Amino acid sequence: MVGVQTRKVKLQESSFMKKIIIALSLLGCVMTTCWAQTEDVATFRTWAMTPPMGWNSWDCYYSSVTEKEVLQNAQYLVDNDLVRHGWEYVVIDIRWYCNHPSLGGGNYNQRGTQDYVLDEYGRYLPSPSRFPSCMEDGVNVGFRPLAEKLHRMGLKLGIHIMRGVPKAVVGSNYKLMGSEQTSWAQVYNGTTSPCTWLKDNLLVRNNQYGQLYYNSIMDLYASWGVDFLKIDDLSRPFYSDELHMIRRAIDQTGRPIVLSLSPGKTQLTYADDCLANANMWRMMDDLWDTWSQVDAVFAEADAWSRYARPGNYADCDMLPLGQIAMTIGDAGYTAADKGRWTRLTQNEQLTMMTLWGICHSPLFFGGEMTKNDAFTLSLLNNEEYHQMHKYGENAHQVMNDEDLGRVAWTSTDPATGNRYLALFQRDNTRWVVGQKALYRSETIAYTTDGHAVDVDIAWPEGEKTLVLVIDDGGDNFNYDHGDWINPTLVLRDGTEVALTGDYKTRQFTNSYFNRVYENRNVDNGGKMKVMGVSYDRGFSADANAAIFFQIPETMDVARFRAMAAADDSGIGQAGATTSIRFMVFAQNPLTSEQDDAAARSGLISRTGAKSVTIEADVEGAEQLKIVVSNYGDGFAYDRADLVDPVLIDADGNETSLTTLTATSYSSEWGTLHVNQNVEGGSLRVDGKTYAKGLGMNAQCTLVYDLPAGHTYKTFRTLCGYDSSCDVDNTSATGTTMEFLVYTTRQEPYTFDLTQLGYAADEAVPLYDIWAQEPLGTATGTITTAVPSHGVRLFRLGDNTSGIDNGQLFPSEGERGVRTPSSLLPSGWQGGMYNLSGQRVDASYHGIVVKDGKKLRQ
């Protein structure tokens, strides 16, 4: 073991690597944040100058992976030339140290029979039954043989560990390495694991013995040749003391080991700790293959974008693509499970890859790669995409239209000056039609001044419907506590009339708790309170909610006034991020109740009609959209079935929707099931079982893009609630829904290029990065089509040479630094180097430094 005393690199000091860092700082940074010449740069950041990429075993095998699966995925990376694009880490996820880790799927074996494998110093070792290469001459030598094999393949080894010290050391004969006579009670802090979901480890004391333990395990991993370390139960909740011990322990080994923190979401308040100690940290909780989880990343990626810099990356989580959710069988513990193909549509997969890429998230493929199809592989080997992901500068969100569900991100290629532009269509099926609002607030959060906004708007003469909306801001966290405080109608003669429940006609909720209260907060029934100030009058609700009022005919209203606020009761909610938008309407805003539906079922319920057949005219339609409303009472037991849904052409030929791939599906609960109800059982409507159909749960929206030039005339289906609700729903409420069918033409997606600094009359060359084809030029605006849950990723510009100021180093005196030749590491003047300072040859793809200039190779 080689000890390293200095953990940070001062830029004015000499040495080869330090001069590389100087060069990078003068380059203006690889991505977002520039390093001042006098700044101390943590050495660990130089170990991941571009976002780490690779394969991780969790999404495909949970805790059951073995050496066989690890090596076959490693070989796939090599055989498909993915290492060249940066896919280099092979990460063995959780519980590699147990002979019997799993009870199937994501369920851990915690019955006392997991059979931990440890060395004499209380350090975990690989399971010999699962990783046989760890045994040499009867001795468990750890992952060293596997690491050596991966290194020979041009790959790097990563492993997962839990924060803390194994609980197995309590009352044991294991010795603390380096202080063998010390009691383990000096290392662990309590004999009960603080982790709520896996009890393998105990909290480590922040003292010399705790540091010795962390030093000992990092020394062990370094001796194995580990290159990447994912540490779980460290960042939610956030254990600063242990993070600092881990940082010191890794640094003292002398081996570059990239550090990844898990799980998420990591709170922004810990950003400085992350930047100072980790290469990557999770911005999200575990992300799986549902659109709602992917969609929730937009808000987090935007919030973390300001912190991206070389060596520090907010992590959107692994990519649940391809074949996932498998289990390796373990007799007596779990049966083998073949898993499933990702539920994300191809459009949703493109959206995921694009967002992860443009915001510089690490990329770790989660599926069994040997089962990848051609489309999945195409997501991984697009060269220009990887240039954007690795090197794009100033990546940020440039547009967010919540009502149209449109988001745009941009970054710049530092080598050419070309710009990247991603146009996302998150969802064009918002629960309210925001474009019709008289008033829409900005997003209100606990970072907003006063946690509130004052609303004072003119009221349209003669309008008698007033609707107050509390919207979740599009981030899918429906636990936001919103208040409409002191809502007041101002009459034309100046009289002020308090808007109270006397004028309320109905309410609509699309949230988890479905609560709307008057004159008290929505959480505990106390007074509404904003920044410590209590209020006696108003309405509170969880987002999403709409409160309808009828203004008396005798009232001549001129203005509406209120304070719209995030109630204090929402501060610190577990699992939620408070972000609310407030809207005021003079008409019904509910998407599911607009009068432009091509067909609608009316109320379906246990006490009324249980099913109905509907038909809709689809001639000439570009898109078929089916909305199932929860009818305003939440989504409890709203299991909705479409039975024998067919598109019928002019000759009477029928095409079943069950044979088509949905463009998108969004729901408050569950996933779209084909030929099953939403619970995975048989389709049963009104007591009769059907073979073909679609199972959903309201509130939901199902979208199909219809093929260009189709000859469909009619859409027909039997719609009703699934009969399983009659048995499972024992309450008097729930199981209410309405089916609505819309036929639409996609609205053009228009983006104003002047937002990016282009002149209104400037012809900008366009290149479609995913399609890998030039698209001519755009002047002033880009007008294109983006499918629901889809994306278009463009390169703007066709420069192929270095940008105008391609000289890597400024002239002497420009920055007050020494001349370039004195700063260059020895040999740089005549060679070609990547941005990590490694010498490369002509086969290298990426940004290089050559003769003091940055170039695209």
Side-chain angles (χ1 to χ4, degrees):
M1 181 186 75
V2 179
V4 177
Q5 299 301 314
T6 303
R7 320 256 210 274
K8 285 195 174 184
V9 180
K10 285 203 170 189
L11 297 187
Q12 62 265 34
E13 295 175 353
S14 60
S15 87
F16 185 78
M17 179 54 72
K18 296 171 188 177
K19 287 188 177 183
I20 292 172
I21 297 172
I22 295 173
L24 293 175
S25 71
L26 294 174
L27 177 61
C29 287
V30 184
M31 293 184 295
T32 309
T33 305
C34 290
W35 298 344
Q37 194 210 349
T38 57
E39 180 188 355
D40 285 352
V41 177
T43 303
F44 76 85
R45 284 171 57 191
T46 68
W47 304 339
M49 296 299 293
T50 58
M53 298 167 56
W55 173 83
N56 181 290
S57 62
W58 171 254
D59 282 358
C60 47
Y61 293 109
Y62 297 110
S63 59
S64 69
V65 73
T66 74
E67 188 166 349
K68 174 180 176 292
E69 292 77 39
V70 172
L71 287 174
Q72 70 193 27
N73 281 277
Q75 193 62 51
Y76 180 93
L77 292 172
V78 174
D79 291 346
N80 288 275
D81 199 24
L82 294 177
V83 184
R84 174 171 66 88
H85 297 286
W87 301 93
E88 60 180 352
Y89 291 101
V90 176
V91 181
I92 302 168
D93 212 277
I94 200 164
R95 292 195 120 192
W96 42 264
Y97 45 81
C98 294
N99 288 324
H100 306 293
S102 176
L103 296 178
N107 300 306
Y108 303 109
N109 174 18
Q110 301 190 76
R111 303 184 305 193
T113 59
Q114 50 267 55
D115 198 5
Y116 299 117
V117 183
L118 297 95
D119 71 3
E120 62 183 306
Y121 297 109
R123 303 176 298 184
Y124 289 126
L125 297 174
S127 160
S129 62
R130 297 167 57 206
F131 301 94
S133 70
C134 72
M135 299 302 295
E136 291 185 351
D137 300 323
V139 177
N140 193 321
V141 297
F143 280 125
R144 176 178 54 77
L146 181 56
E148 290 173 349
K149 186 165 189 174
L150 292 175
H151 293 162
R152 288 193 296 270
M153 297 168 70
L155 299 168
K156 296 179 180 180
L157 173 65
I159 61 173
H160 171 290
I161 65 170
M162 295 294 292
R163 173 207 51 75
V165 59
K167 66 181 180 182
V169 304
V170 177
S172 73
N173 293 321
Y174 297 119
K175 304 297 183 182
L176 174 62
M177 189 174 188
S179 188
E180 284 76 4
Q181 303 307 312
T182 298
S183 166
W184 282 105
Q186 298 297 309
V187 177
Y188 58 76
N189 188 357
T191 56
T192 301
S193 174
C195 181
T196 60
W197 48 273
L198 184 59
K199 303 295 186 178
D200 288 351
N201 286 9
L202 305 176
L203 193 68
V204 173
R205 292 182 183 275
N206 182 22
N207 61 22
Q208 61 178 320
Y209 305 111
Q211 188 66 62
L212 269 178
Y213 175 73
Y214 272 125
N215 288 357
S216 74
I217 65 171
M218 297 307 166
D219 289 342
L220 181 65
Y221 304 152
S223 73
W224 292 347
V226 169
D227 306 290
F228 180 99
L229 192 59
K230 174 184 175 182
I231 304 187
D232 221 328
D233 190 40
L234 184 56
S235 51
R236 192 207 69 218
F238 201 92
Y239 292 93
S240 293
D241 287 348
E242 289 198 56
L243 173 58
H244 298 164
M245 287 190 282
I246 289 165
R247 177 75 271 149
R248 291 192 293 266
I250 293 174
D251 290 345
Q252 61 87 39
T253 68
R255 180 173 181 79
I257 301 177
V258 170
L259 177 59
S260 170
L261 309 186
S262 195
K265 78 179 206 173
T266 304
Q267 297 297 322
L268 283 164
T269 53
Y270 297 109
D272 288 343
D273 242 350
C274 292
L275 293 168
N277 295 283
N279 296 106
M280 50 188 278
W281 55 90
R282 287 268 294 280
M283 69 170 78
M284 304 297 299
D285 199 350
D286 283 7
L287 183 138
W288 283 97
D289 51 330
T290 62
W291 171 249
S292 63
Q293 293 186 62
V294 174
D295 187 61
V297 177
F298 280 96
E300 301 303 321
D302 178 42
W304 280 103
S305 62
R306 73 197 71 176
Y307 298 101
R309 65 182 185 182
N312 291 132
Y313 311 99
D315 179 12
C316 299
D317 199 15
M318 291 172 285
L319 301 161
L321 303 177
Q323 188 72 16
I324 58 175
M326 297 178 284
T327 300
I328 304 300
D330 183 10
Y333 296 90
T334 180
D337 189 332
K338 65 181 180 180
R340 65 174 184 270
W341 193 255
T342 182
R343 298 186 182 112
L344 297 173
T345 68
Q346 289 192 356
N347 283 327
E348 290 166 352
Q349 294 176 59
L350 286 166
T351 290
M352 170 184 275
M353 289 297 297
T354 303
L355 180 58
W356 271 233
I358 201 165
C359 78
H360 304 301
S361 170
L363 299 177
F364 281 85
F365 191 87
E368 170 51 66
M369 302 191 87
T370 61
K371 298 182 182 295
N372 283 355
D373 59 11
F375 172 78
T376 306
L377 178 58
S378 75
L379 298 175
L380 310 181
N381 61 9
N382 185 300
E383 178 64 25
E384 184 139 14
Y385 167 86
H386 287 298
Q387 299 305 317
M388 175 192 73
H389 173 237
K390 290 179 174 67
Y391 307 120
E393 290 183 344
N394 192 29
H396 64 284
Q397 179 178 283
V398 71
M399 180 188 76
N400 183 9
D401 186 328
E402 290 287 356
D403 299 309
L404 292 177
R406 293 176 175 179
V407 171
W409 273 71
T410 188
S411 66
T412 304
D413 182 338
T416 63
N418 295 328
R419 184 177 285 277
Y420 301 110
L421 177 64
L423 302 180
F424 299 96
Q425 182 65 64
R426 291 173 60 184
D427 205 339
N428 57 5
T429 54
R430 293 284 291 149
W431 71 285
V432 290
V433 184
Q435 304 96 300
K436 296 182 179 180
L438 295 177
Y439 169 82
R440 289 179 288 175
S441 74
E442 297 297 320
T443 298
I444 306 301
Y446 293 125
T447 55
T448 304
D449 288 345
H451 300 178
V453 62
D454 289 323
V455 181
D456 186 350
I457 59 172
W459 187 256
E461 187 172 356
E463 293 293 343
K464 299 302 180 181
T465 297
L466 187 154
V467 185
L468 301 181
V469 165
I470 299 174
D471 176 71
D472 65 13
D475 63 0
N476 290 318
F477 288 99
N478 300 334
Y479 302 93
D480 303 332
H481 298 177
D483 296 336
W484 281 101
I485 292 173
N486 295 330
T488 301
L489 302 174
V490 182
L491 306 187
R492 210 161 299 279
D493 63 6
T495 304
E496 295 188 357
V497 179
L499 185 66
T500 67
D502 293 340
Y503 304 104
K504 179 183 167 190
T505 58
R506 61 177 286 215
Q507 65 192 45
F508 177 94
T509 58
N510 184 19
S511 65
Y512 187 83
F513 294 110
N514 304 300
R515 302 176 295 195
V516 177
Y517 296 154
E518 184 177 8
N519 300 336
R520 56 194 176 110
N521 74 51
V522 76
D523 181 46
N524 54 35
K527 288 189 176 184
M528 294 174 290
K529 185 179 291 186
V530 181
M531 295 195 71
V533 178
S534 297
Y535 297 89
D536 295 322
R537 186 173 68 82
F539 296 88
S540 67
D542 299 296
N544 297 307
I547 311 169
F548 290 72
F549 301 88
Q550 183 66 36
I551 300 173
E553 289 295 332
T554 56
M555 283 191 187
D556 185 12
V557 178
R559 303 194 71 79
F560 170 77
R561 292 175 182 160
M563 182 173 79
D567 193 274
D568 287 358
S569 62
I571 294 176
Q573 297 174 83
T577 298
T578 297
S579 57
I580 309 173
R581 284 200 313 161
F582 296 89
M583 306 183 202
V584 181
F585 293 85
Q587 58 184 296
N588 187 338
L590 302 178
T591 299
S592 60
E593 297 182 9
Q594 299 303 299
D595 59 6
D596 55 351
R600 61 192 312 160
S601 67
L603 174 63
I604 301 292
S605 70
R606 290 182 297 168
T607 58
K610 297 185 177 182
S611 64
V612 66
T613 297
I614 58 175
E615 291 188 355
D617 182 357
V618 295
E619 186 173 4
E622 295 179 352
Q623 193 175 76
L624 175 68
K625 181 167 66 178
I626 301 164
V627 174
V628 187
S629 164
N630 63 26
Y631 221 73
D633 65 351
F635 57 79
Y637 296 101
D638 283 350
R639 300 169 189 167
D641 293 341
L642 295 178
V643 174
D644 294 327
V646 293
L647 292 162
I648 307 170
D649 68 16
D651 297 323
N653 301 309
E654 298 183 353
T655 300
S656 173
L657 288 191
T658 63
T659 66
L660 303 180
T661 300
T663 302
S664 64
Y665 175 75
S666 302
S667 176
E668 291 295 315
W669 187 89
T671 59
L672 178 67
H673 281 58
V674 178
N675 300 330
Q676 296 176 318
N677 68 23
V678 73
E679 297 284 337
S682 299
L683 291 164
R684 293 178 63 244
V685 174
D686 210 1
K688 183 178 179 181
T689 301
Y690 295 88
K692 286 187 177 182
L694 301 170
M696 304 175 288
N697 199 89
Q699 180 101 14
C700 62
T701 302
L702 175 63
V703 176
Y704 289 88
D705 287 334
L706 302 180
H710 71 81
T711 59
Y712 301 132
K713 298 289 186 179
T714 305
F715 168 70
R716 183 185 68 216
T717 187
L718 172 69
C719 48
Y721 75 83
D722 192 87
S723 296
S724 62
C725 296
D726 292 329
V727 176
D728 295 345
N729 185 8
T730 58
S731 71
T733 61
T735 313
T736 57
M737 63 195 70
E738 183 179 21
F739 295 77
L740 302 100
V741 179
Y742 298 88
T743 57
T744 62
R745 295 183 179 273
Q746 281 190 315
E747 295 182 21
Y749 195 127
T750 301
F751 181 83
D752 183 358
L753 288 172
T754 63
Q755 295 181 71
L756 304 180
Y758 296 103
D761 59 353
E762 183 176 356
V764 180
L766 295 183
Y767 180 84
D768 188 315
I769 291 176
W770 285 119
Q772 300 183 53
E773 62 180 10
L775 301 176
T777 60
T779 302
T781 60
I782 292 176
T783 300
T784 187
V786 182
S788 179
H789 297 186
V791 66
R792 297 294 298 275
L793 178 59
F794 300 109
R795 185 227 303 145
L796 309 182
D798 56 7
N799 299 323
T800 56
S801 59
I803 57 179
D804 292 341
N805 61 339
Q807 183 70 27
L808 175 60
F809 298 101
S811 60
E812 184 172 4
E814 186 177 344
R815 292 178 183 252
V817 299
R818 292 176 290 171
T819 57
S821 60
S822 65
L823 288 175
L824 279 171
S826 176
W828 263 44
Q829 294 90 340
M832 185 165 63
Y833 296 81
N834 66 18
L835 293 182
S836 294
Q838 300 164 323
R839 189 166 186 138
V840 295
D841 58 24
S843 65
Y844 179 80
H845 293 271
I847 295 178
V848 297
V849 177
K850 183 177 182 181
D851 297 329
K853 294 182 179 181
K854 52 184 177 180
L855 303 169
R856 168 81 68 210
Q857 179 68 13

